[in-house]
Amino acid sequence: YFASTNLSELTDNTNKLTFQVYEEPEGGFSTRCIEFPGIITQGDSKEDLKRMILDAVDCYFNSFPMEKAKISEIKNNKIEIIF
């Protein structure tokens, strides 16, 4: 499963974030970002997972002050989860 969001400019070489999504045996979903493996999260439903992805991206980039300007780009793009 993959979820992705297109960004106008995330880094010099990256213009999207791609999330590999796993359906968990105990229920719900977990995910990690392919481009930034430190971005990981989980959710009970598809809608919850979308919210949690945005929150995880926000937290990740807030940890790196030089990247804060990119958060608005991320939040202005849609995340698509393909199952």
Side-chain angles (χ1 to χ4, degrees):
Y1 305 115
F2 289 93
S4 75
T5 182
N6 291 317
L7 308 175
S8 57
E9 284 186 37
L10 181 62
T11 67
D12 292 340
N13 298 321
T14 304
N15 63 1
K16 68 177 182 173
L17 292 180
T18 307
F19 291 85
Q20 187 168 8
V21 179
Y22 304 93
E23 191 167 356
E24 295 296 333
E26 64 277 358
F29 304 91
S30 64
T31 188
R32 71 175 181 83
C33 181
I34 302 299
E35 293 82 10
F36 295 91
I39 304 175
I40 58 173
T41 193
Q42 63 184 22
D44 293 327
S45 66
K46 293 177 190 178
E47 290 302 315
D48 187 38
L49 185 63
K50 289 179 186 180
R51 286 188 299 276
M52 297 304 290
I53 287 172
L54 289 175
D55 184 57
V57 168
D58 188 37
C59 290
Y60 182 86
F61 285 105
N62 273 325
S63 298
F64 301 96
M66 66 188 111
E67 303 293 344
K68 282 187 178 184
K70 296 176 183 174
I71 292 172
S72 63
E73 294 176 38
I74 293 166
K75 290 184 176 181
N76 289 330
N77 289 281
K78 294 181 180 178
I79 293 175
E80 181 182 4
I81 298 178
I82 303 168
F83 291 88

